[in-house]
Amino acid sequence: MHHHHHASPSVRSLDRAFVIGIAINIAFIAVEAVIGFWQSSMGLLADAGHNLGDVASLALSLIAIKLYQKAATKKFTYGFMKSTILASFINAVILLVAVGGIVVESINQLINPKPLEGLTVAAVAGIGVIVNGVTAYLFLDHKDKDLNVKGSFIHMAMDALVSLGVVVAGIVIHYTGWYIIDPIIGFVIAIVIVKFTWGLLSDSVRLSMDGVPEGIDIENVEKCILDTEGVESFHHLHIWALSTTDNALTVHVVLQDIKAMENVKFNLKESLKQCGINHATIEFELEECQCKDS
C-alpha cells in the first residue's frame, strides 16, 4: 500500500491561504455580531450568520485538501482524494441555495419595502467587500488548477460582489430614498452567481460520475497511445478523475512485439503525462491473445 501525495510547497501555500481566509472572516463575523447586537440590527446579525456559512465552506475545502494528502488504506485504496470533488459539489450547492435566499428576500423587499439607513449599510458592506475580496485573491493563482479551490474562489468572489451590490444600494438609498434599488440589485446579483456557479456544479457532478475531466482531450489521448512506437492498437479505454487535480486512465494495449513491453510502457506513460494523465494502468496483449471482456 502506498500513496503518491505529499505536502508540496503549492499545497502548503494553499493551506496558509485557507487558514488566513478563515481567520479574517471569523474576525469580520465577530465585528458584525458585536455591532449588530449593539445597534439591534437584524440585518447585520443575519449577514454575520451568512458569513459564518462562508467560514464553513472554506473549512470544508481545507478539510478536503487535508484528506487528499492522507495515505491510502485497505478500505480506501485510492486514499481520500475524491473528497476534493465532493467539497466542490457541496460548495456549488451552497452557492445555489444562497441564490434562492437572495431571490426570496428580494421578492419580499419588493412586496414590503423597508426603510434602510443607507450609509450604515454601505459602510458595513464595504468592509465585507474588502474581506471577501482579499480572501478570493488568496485563491486566485490556484483557481484554474484545482476545482476545489475554484469553488472557494467563486464563493468568496460572489460574496464580494454581493457586498459591493449592497454598498451601491446603500449609497443610492441614502441620496435618493429609492428603496426599490435594493431588491433590484439582489436579482442582478442572483443571475450573476448562477452564471458563475453552474459551471462549477456541472464540473463537480461530471467528476463525481467518473466522467472525462475538463481539459482532457480524449482524441489527443487516443492519438498519443497509437503514436507510441510498438503499439498495434488499443481498446477498453477509460479516463476519470481521482481528485480535482489527479486524472487516471486504464487501457488495454495490443503490442506488435511482447519483448518491447517495458519500453512501450515507459514511453506511453511519459506521453500520457503530457496529456494530463498522471495515473495510468495499462494491460498489454498480443493480437492473437486479445481479451474478450468489456
Side-chain angles (χ1 to χ4, degrees), residues 126-155:
I127 299 173
V129 172
I130 296 172
V131 170
N132 292 318
V134 168
T135 306
Y137 178 76
L138 293 172
F139 307 121
L140 185 62
D141 290 341
H142 298 275
K143 71 179 179 66
D144 294 326
K145 305 172 185 175
D146 187 335
L147 191 64
N148 180 38
V149 178
K150 183 179 182 180
S152 294
F153 172 81
I154 292 176
H155 200 130

PDB file of all heavy atoms in Angstrom, residues 126-155:
ATOM      1  N   GLY A 126     -19.066  47.590   2.815  1.00  0.00           N
ATOM      2  CA  GLY A 126     -17.748  47.937   2.272  1.00  0.00           C
ATOM      3  C   GLY A 126     -16.643  47.114   2.913  1.00  0.00           C
ATOM      4  O   GLY A 126     -15.704  46.672   2.234  1.00  0.00           O
ATOM      5  N   ILE A 127     -16.764  46.885   4.226  1.00  0.00           N
ATOM      6  CA  ILE A 127     -15.795  46.017   4.913  1.00  0.00           C
ATOM      7  C   ILE A 127     -15.893  44.605   4.354  1.00  0.00           C
ATOM      8  O   ILE A 127     -14.890  43.923   4.150  1.00  0.00           O
ATOM      9  CB  ILE A 127     -16.046  46.020   6.437  1.00  0.00           C
ATOM     10  CG1 ILE A 127     -15.886  47.434   7.005  1.00  0.00           C
ATOM     11  CG2 ILE A 127     -15.092  45.056   7.142  1.00  0.00           C
ATOM     12  CD1 ILE A 127     -16.273  47.554   8.462  1.00  0.00           C
ATOM     13  N   GLY A 128     -17.135  44.187   4.085  1.00  0.00           N
ATOM     14  CA  GLY A 128     -17.351  42.851   3.508  1.00  0.00           C
ATOM     15  C   GLY A 128     -16.695  42.707   2.144  1.00  0.00           C
ATOM     16  O   GLY A 128     -16.151  41.655   1.822  1.00  0.00           O
ATOM     17  N   VAL A 129     -16.752  43.772   1.332  1.00  0.00           N
ATOM     18  CA  VAL A 129     -16.093  43.738   0.022  1.00  0.00           C
ATOM     19  C   VAL A 129     -14.603  43.475   0.193  1.00  0.00           C
ATOM     20  O   VAL A 129     -14.008  42.649  -0.516  1.00  0.00           O
ATOM     21  CB  VAL A 129     -16.305  45.068  -0.734  1.00  0.00           C
ATOM     22  CG1 VAL A 129     -15.446  45.098  -2.003  1.00  0.00           C
ATOM     23  CG2 VAL A 129     -17.769  45.254  -1.096  1.00  0.00           C
ATOM     24  N   ILE A 130     -13.990  44.180   1.151  1.00  0.00           N
ATOM     25  CA  ILE A 130     -12.546  44.034   1.387  1.00  0.00           C
ATOM     26  C   ILE A 130     -12.220  42.627   1.890  1.00  0.00           C
ATOM     27  O   ILE A 130     -11.322  41.954   1.365  1.00  0.00           O
ATOM     28  CB  ILE A 130     -12.052  45.089   2.391  1.00  0.00           C
ATOM     29  CG1 ILE A 130     -12.230  46.495   1.802  1.00  0.00           C
ATOM     30  CG2 ILE A 130     -10.593  44.836   2.761  1.00  0.00           C
ATOM     31  CD1 ILE A 130     -11.956  47.608   2.789  1.00  0.00           C
ATOM     32  N   VAL A 131     -12.961  42.169   2.899  1.00  0.00           N
ATOM     33  CA  VAL A 131     -12.692  40.851   3.498  1.00  0.00           C
ATOM     34  C   VAL A 131     -12.880  39.735   2.475  1.00  0.00           C
ATOM     35  O   VAL A 131     -12.002  38.880   2.291  1.00  0.00           O
ATOM     36  CB  VAL A 131     -13.612  40.616   4.715  1.00  0.00           C
ATOM     37  CG1 VAL A 131     -13.511  39.168   5.198  1.00  0.00           C
ATOM     38  CG2 VAL A 131     -13.244  41.563   5.849  1.00  0.00           C
ATOM     39  N   ASN A 132     -14.010  39.760   1.777  1.00  0.00           N
ATOM     40  CA  ASN A 132     -14.273  38.704   0.792  1.00  0.00           C
ATOM     41  C   ASN A 132     -13.360  38.817  -0.418  1.00  0.00           C
ATOM     42  O   ASN A 132     -12.932  37.804  -0.980  1.00  0.00           O
ATOM     43  CB  ASN A 132     -15.737  38.762   0.346  1.00  0.00           C
ATOM     44  CG  ASN A 132     -16.703  38.382   1.447  1.00  0.00           C
ATOM     45  OD1 ASN A 132     -16.465  37.436   2.185  1.00  0.00           O
ATOM     46  ND2 ASN A 132     -17.792  39.116   1.571  1.00  0.00           N
ATOM     47  N   GLY A 133     -13.054  40.049  -0.812  1.00  0.00           N
ATOM     48  CA  GLY A 133     -12.151  40.256  -1.943  1.00  0.00           C
ATOM     49  C   GLY A 133     -10.748  39.758  -1.654  1.00  0.00           C
ATOM     50  O   GLY A 133     -10.122  39.100  -2.499  1.00  0.00           O
ATOM     51  N   VAL A 134     -10.238  40.081  -0.466  1.00  0.00           N
ATOM     52  CA  VAL A 134      -8.902  39.611  -0.078  1.00  0.00           C
ATOM     53  C   VAL A 134      -8.873  38.087  -0.001  1.00  0.00           C
ATOM     54  O   VAL A 134      -7.926  37.441  -0.460  1.00  0.00           O
ATOM     55  CB  VAL A 134      -8.487  40.218   1.286  1.00  0.00           C
ATOM     56  CG1 VAL A 134      -7.245  39.526   1.841  1.00  0.00           C
ATOM     57  CG2 VAL A 134      -8.222  41.717   1.136  1.00  0.00           C
ATOM     58  N   THR A 135      -9.935  37.491   0.564  1.00  0.00           N
ATOM     59  CA  THR A 135      -9.997  36.032   0.662  1.00  0.00           C
ATOM     60  C   THR A 135     -10.007  35.391  -0.723  1.00  0.00           C
ATOM     61  O   THR A 135      -9.308  34.400  -0.970  1.00  0.00           O
ATOM     62  CB  THR A 135     -11.251  35.588   1.443  1.00  0.00           C
ATOM     63  OG1 THR A 135     -11.279  36.249   2.713  1.00  0.00           O
ATOM     64  CG2 THR A 135     -11.230  34.088   1.681  1.00  0.00           C
ATOM     65  N   ALA A 136     -10.799  35.953  -1.652  1.00  0.00           N
ATOM     66  CA  ALA A 136     -10.833  35.422  -3.020  1.00  0.00           C
ATOM     67  C   ALA A 136      -9.458  35.547  -3.672  1.00  0.00           C
ATOM     68  O   ALA A 136      -9.007  34.633  -4.374  1.00  0.00           O
ATOM     69  CB  ALA A 136     -11.878  36.172  -3.845  1.00  0.00           C
ATOM     70  N   TYR A 137      -8.778  36.661  -3.422  1.00  0.00           N
ATOM     71  CA  TYR A 137      -7.452  36.889  -4.015  1.00  0.00           C
ATOM     72  C   TYR A 137      -6.443  35.827  -3.571  1.00  0.00           C
ATOM     73  O   TYR A 137      -5.555  35.444  -4.338  1.00  0.00           O
ATOM     74  CB  TYR A 137      -6.947  38.277  -3.637  1.00  0.00           C
ATOM     75  CG  TYR A 137      -5.561  38.586  -4.172  1.00  0.00           C
ATOM     76  CD1 TYR A 137      -5.375  38.911  -5.514  1.00  0.00           C
ATOM     77  CD2 TYR A 137      -4.445  38.536  -3.335  1.00  0.00           C
ATOM     78  CE1 TYR A 137      -4.114  39.186  -6.016  1.00  0.00           C
ATOM     79  CE2 TYR A 137      -3.173  38.797  -3.833  1.00  0.00           C
ATOM     80  CZ  TYR A 137      -3.012  39.136  -5.166  1.00  0.00           C
ATOM     81  OH  TYR A 137      -1.760  39.385  -5.661  1.00  0.00           O
ATOM     82  N   LEU A 138      -6.605  35.324  -2.348  1.00  0.00           N
ATOM     83  CA  LEU A 138      -5.698  34.299  -1.832  1.00  0.00           C
ATOM     84  C   LEU A 138      -5.722  33.034  -2.694  1.00  0.00           C
ATOM     85  O   LEU A 138      -4.736  32.291  -2.741  1.00  0.00           O
ATOM     86  CB  LEU A 138      -6.074  33.940  -0.385  1.00  0.00           C
ATOM     87  CG  LEU A 138      -5.867  35.026   0.674  1.00  0.00           C
ATOM     88  CD1 LEU A 138      -6.467  34.588   2.004  1.00  0.00           C
ATOM     89  CD2 LEU A 138      -4.377  35.343   0.848  1.00  0.00           C
ATOM     90  N   PHE A 139      -6.850  32.797  -3.384  1.00  0.00           N
ATOM     91  CA  PHE A 139      -7.004  31.577  -4.177  1.00  0.00           C
ATOM     92  C   PHE A 139      -6.852  31.825  -5.675  1.00  0.00           C
ATOM     93  O   PHE A 139      -7.006  30.900  -6.472  1.00  0.00           O
ATOM     94  CB  PHE A 139      -8.377  30.949  -3.905  1.00  0.00           C
ATOM     95  CG  PHE A 139      -8.655  30.717  -2.441  1.00  0.00           C
ATOM     96  CD1 PHE A 139      -9.744  31.309  -1.831  1.00  0.00           C
ATOM     97  CD2 PHE A 139      -7.819  29.925  -1.684  1.00  0.00           C
ATOM     98  CE1 PHE A 139     -10.003  31.111  -0.485  1.00  0.00           C
ATOM     99  CE2 PHE A 139      -8.064  29.720  -0.335  1.00  0.00           C
ATOM    100  CZ  PHE A 139      -9.158  30.312   0.266  1.00  0.00           C
ATOM    101  N   LEU A 140      -6.534  33.056  -6.053  1.00  0.00           N
ATOM    102  CA  LEU A 140      -6.521  33.439  -7.466  1.00  0.00           C
ATOM    103  C   LEU A 140      -5.554  32.598  -8.285  1.00  0.00           C
ATOM    104  O   LEU A 140      -5.881  32.144  -9.385  1.00  0.00           O
ATOM    105  CB  LEU A 140      -6.169  34.921  -7.597  1.00  0.00           C
ATOM    106  CG  LEU A 140      -6.235  35.517  -9.004  1.00  0.00           C
ATOM    107  CD1 LEU A 140      -7.660  35.422  -9.547  1.00  0.00           C
ATOM    108  CD2 LEU A 140      -5.770  36.974  -8.994  1.00  0.00           C
ATOM    109  N   ASP A 141      -4.345  32.372  -7.768  1.00  0.00           N
ATOM    110  CA  ASP A 141      -3.312  31.660  -8.529  1.00  0.00           C
ATOM    111  C   ASP A 141      -3.618  30.177  -8.705  1.00  0.00           C
ATOM    112  O   ASP A 141      -3.063  29.524  -9.593  1.00  0.00           O
ATOM    113  CB  ASP A 141      -1.950  31.811  -7.848  1.00  0.00           C
ATOM    114  CG  ASP A 141      -1.403  33.228  -7.960  1.00  0.00           C
ATOM    115  OD1 ASP A 141      -1.886  33.967  -8.842  1.00  0.00           O
ATOM    116  OD2 ASP A 141      -0.529  33.607  -7.166  1.00  0.00           O
ATOM    117  N   HIS A 142      -4.481  29.626  -7.846  1.00  0.00           N
ATOM    118  CA  HIS A 142      -4.741  28.180  -7.868  1.00  0.00           C
ATOM    119  C   HIS A 142      -6.108  27.819  -8.441  1.00  0.00           C
ATOM    120  O   HIS A 142      -6.403  26.634  -8.620  1.00  0.00           O
ATOM    121  CB  HIS A 142      -4.642  27.605  -6.454  1.00  0.00           C
ATOM    122  CG  HIS A 142      -3.285  27.756  -5.836  1.00  0.00           C
ATOM    123  ND1 HIS A 142      -2.270  26.859  -6.038  1.00  0.00           N
ATOM    124  CD2 HIS A 142      -2.769  28.718  -5.027  1.00  0.00           C
ATOM    125  CE1 HIS A 142      -1.188  27.242  -5.373  1.00  0.00           C
ATOM    126  NE2 HIS A 142      -1.467  28.373  -4.760  1.00  0.00           N
ATOM    127  N   LYS A 143      -6.953  28.808  -8.728  1.00  0.00           N
ATOM    128  CA  LYS A 143      -8.352  28.521  -9.082  1.00  0.00           C
ATOM    129  C   LYS A 143      -8.504  27.737 -10.385  1.00  0.00           C
ATOM    130  O   LYS A 143      -9.476  26.994 -10.553  1.00  0.00           O
ATOM    131  CB  LYS A 143      -9.156  29.818  -9.161  1.00  0.00           C
ATOM    132  CG  LYS A 143      -8.832  30.712 -10.335  1.00  0.00           C
ATOM    133  CD  LYS A 143      -9.703  31.954 -10.344  1.00  0.00           C
ATOM    134  CE  LYS A 143      -9.374  32.868 -11.513  1.00  0.00           C
ATOM    135  NZ  LYS A 143      -9.692  32.261 -12.808  1.00  0.00           N
ATOM    136  N   ASP A 144      -7.552  27.886 -11.305  1.00  0.00           N
ATOM    137  CA  ASP A 144      -7.655  27.166 -12.575  1.00  0.00           C
ATOM    138  C   ASP A 144      -6.929  25.827 -12.555  1.00  0.00           C
ATOM    139  O   ASP A 144      -6.927  25.106 -13.552  1.00  0.00           O
ATOM    140  CB  ASP A 144      -7.097  28.031 -13.717  1.00  0.00           C
ATOM    141  CG  ASP A 144      -7.935  29.283 -13.957  1.00  0.00           C
ATOM    142  OD1 ASP A 144      -9.166  29.195 -13.786  1.00  0.00           O
ATOM    143  OD2 ASP A 144      -7.361  30.339 -14.288  1.00  0.00           O
ATOM    144  N   LYS A 145      -6.320  25.501 -11.415  1.00  0.00           N
ATOM    145  CA  LYS A 145      -5.580  24.246 -11.293  1.00  0.00           C
ATOM    146  C   LYS A 145      -6.333  23.199 -10.471  1.00  0.00           C
ATOM    147  O   LYS A 145      -6.021  22.018 -10.537  1.00  0.00           O
ATOM    148  CB  LYS A 145      -4.209  24.505 -10.637  1.00  0.00           C
ATOM    149  CG  LYS A 145      -3.367  25.551 -11.357  1.00  0.00           C
ATOM    150  CD  LYS A 145      -2.119  25.888 -10.550  1.00  0.00           C
ATOM    151  CE  LYS A 145      -1.328  27.021 -11.187  1.00  0.00           C
ATOM    152  NZ  LYS A 145      -0.182  27.434 -10.341  1.00  0.00           N
ATOM    153  N   ASP A 146      -7.305  23.652  -9.678  1.00  0.00           N
ATOM    154  CA  ASP A 146      -7.980  22.753  -8.744  1.00  0.00           C
ATOM    155  C   ASP A 146      -9.437  23.183  -8.618  1.00  0.00           C
ATOM    156  O   ASP A 146      -9.724  24.320  -8.220  1.00  0.00           O
ATOM    157  CB  ASP A 146      -7.283  22.809  -7.382  1.00  0.00           C
ATOM    158  CG  ASP A 146      -7.810  21.791  -6.389  1.00  0.00           C
ATOM    159  OD1 ASP A 146      -8.970  21.374  -6.536  1.00  0.00           O
ATOM    160  OD2 ASP A 146      -7.065  21.422  -5.472  1.00  0.00           O
ATOM    161  N   LEU A 147     -10.367  22.299  -8.973  1.00  0.00           N
ATOM    162  CA  LEU A 147     -11.790  22.631  -8.925  1.00  0.00           C
ATOM    163  C   LEU A 147     -12.240  22.947  -7.502  1.00  0.00           C
ATOM    164  O   LEU A 147     -13.119  23.796  -7.299  1.00  0.00           O
ATOM    165  CB  LEU A 147     -12.602  21.460  -9.490  1.00  0.00           C
ATOM    166  CG  LEU A 147     -14.088  21.727  -9.754  1.00  0.00           C
ATOM    167  CD1 LEU A 147     -14.259  22.785 -10.834  1.00  0.00           C
ATOM    168  CD2 LEU A 147     -14.797  20.433 -10.159  1.00  0.00           C
ATOM    169  N   ASN A 148     -11.665  22.286  -6.521  1.00  0.00           N
ATOM    170  CA  ASN A 148     -11.993  22.545  -5.126  1.00  0.00           C
ATOM    171  C   ASN A 148     -11.649  23.986  -4.754  1.00  0.00           C
ATOM    172  O   ASN A 148     -12.445  24.706  -4.140  1.00  0.00           O
ATOM    173  CB  ASN A 148     -11.236  21.565  -4.228  1.00  0.00           C
ATOM    174  CG  ASN A 148     -11.530  21.769  -2.755  1.00  0.00           C
ATOM    175  OD1 ASN A 148     -12.658  22.066  -2.360  1.00  0.00           O
ATOM    176  ND2 ASN A 148     -10.510  21.631  -1.920  1.00  0.00           N
ATOM    177  N   VAL A 149     -10.457  24.433  -5.136  1.00  0.00           N
ATOM    178  CA  VAL A 149     -10.033  25.807  -4.868  1.00  0.00           C
ATOM    179  C   VAL A 149     -10.879  26.782  -5.675  1.00  0.00           C
ATOM    180  O   VAL A 149     -11.239  27.863  -5.188  1.00  0.00           O
ATOM    181  CB  VAL A 149      -8.539  25.991  -5.203  1.00  0.00           C
ATOM    182  CG1 VAL A 149      -8.102  27.434  -4.970  1.00  0.00           C
ATOM    183  CG2 VAL A 149      -7.681  25.051  -4.350  1.00  0.00           C
ATOM    184  N   LYS A 150     -11.219  26.388  -6.906  1.00  0.00           N
ATOM    185  CA  LYS A 150     -12.071  27.241  -7.732  1.00  0.00           C
ATOM    186  C   LYS A 150     -13.416  27.477  -7.050  1.00  0.00           C
ATOM    187  O   LYS A 150     -13.972  28.584  -7.106  1.00  0.00           O
ATOM    188  CB  LYS A 150     -12.281  26.588  -9.104  1.00  0.00           C
ATOM    189  CG  LYS A 150     -13.098  27.435 -10.068  1.00  0.00           C
ATOM    190  CD  LYS A 150     -13.250  26.735 -11.414  1.00  0.00           C
ATOM    191  CE  LYS A 150     -14.034  27.586 -12.401  1.00  0.00           C
ATOM    192  NZ  LYS A 150     -14.184  26.894 -13.720  1.00  0.00           N
ATOM    193  N   GLY A 151     -13.932  26.446  -6.392  1.00  0.00           N
ATOM    194  CA  GLY A 151     -15.193  26.583  -5.669  1.00  0.00           C
ATOM    195  C   GLY A 151     -15.097  27.625  -4.572  1.00  0.00           C
ATOM    196  O   GLY A 151     -15.991  28.466  -4.403  1.00  0.00           O
ATOM    197  N   SER A 152     -13.995  27.591  -3.813  1.00  0.00           N
ATOM    198  CA  SER A 152     -13.799  28.578  -2.745  1.00  0.00           C
ATOM    199  C   SER A 152     -13.618  29.974  -3.324  1.00  0.00           C
ATOM    200  O   SER A 152     -14.140  30.962  -2.788  1.00  0.00           O
ATOM    201  CB  SER A 152     -12.572  28.200  -1.900  1.00  0.00           C
ATOM    202  OG  SER A 152     -12.804  26.993  -1.210  1.00  0.00           O
ATOM    203  N   PHE A 153     -12.873  30.059  -4.431  1.00  0.00           N
ATOM    204  CA  PHE A 153     -12.658  31.359  -5.076  1.00  0.00           C
ATOM    205  C   PHE A 153     -13.991  31.961  -5.530  1.00  0.00           C
ATOM    206  O   PHE A 153     -14.278  33.135  -5.258  1.00  0.00           O
ATOM    207  CB  PHE A 153     -11.720  31.206  -6.273  1.00  0.00           C
ATOM    208  CG  PHE A 153     -11.604  32.459  -7.107  1.00  0.00           C
ATOM    209  CD1 PHE A 153     -10.762  33.490  -6.717  1.00  0.00           C
ATOM    210  CD2 PHE A 153     -12.357  32.605  -8.271  1.00  0.00           C
ATOM    211  CE1 PHE A 153     -10.675  34.658  -7.462  1.00  0.00           C
ATOM    212  CE2 PHE A 153     -12.272  33.759  -9.026  1.00  0.00           C
ATOM    213  CZ  PHE A 153     -11.427  34.790  -8.624  1.00  0.00           C
ATOM    214  N   ILE A 154     -14.807  31.152  -6.232  1.00  0.00           N
ATOM    215  CA  ILE A 154     -16.093  31.644  -6.710  1.00  0.00           C
ATOM    216  C   ILE A 154     -16.980  32.049  -5.543  1.00  0.00           C
ATOM    217  O   ILE A 154     -17.645  33.090  -5.579  1.00  0.00           O
ATOM    218  CB  ILE A 154     -16.792  30.578  -7.581  1.00  0.00           C
ATOM    219  CG1 ILE A 154     -16.028  30.379  -8.892  1.00  0.00           C
ATOM    220  CG2 ILE A 154     -18.236  30.973  -7.870  1.00  0.00           C
ATOM    221  CD1 ILE A 154     -16.598  29.288  -9.773  1.00  0.00           C
ATOM    222  N   HIS A 155     -16.981  31.243  -4.481  1.00  0.00           N
ATOM    223  CA  HIS A 155     -17.801  31.528  -3.305  1.00  0.00           C
ATOM    224  C   HIS A 155     -17.451  32.893  -2.726  1.00  0.00           C
ATOM    225  O   HIS A 155     -18.335  33.728  -2.494  1.00  0.00           O
ATOM    226  CB  HIS A 155     -17.589  30.433  -2.252  1.00  0.00           C
ATOM    227  CG  HIS A 155     -18.693  30.356  -1.252  1.00  0.00           C
ATOM    228  ND1 HIS A 155     -19.335  29.182  -0.929  1.00  0.00           N
ATOM    229  CD2 HIS A 155     -19.285  31.311  -0.500  1.00  0.00           C
ATOM    230  CE1 HIS A 155     -20.262  29.413  -0.034  1.00  0.00           C
ATOM    231  NE2 HIS A 155     -20.250  30.706   0.253  1.00  0.00           N
TER     232      HIS A 155
END
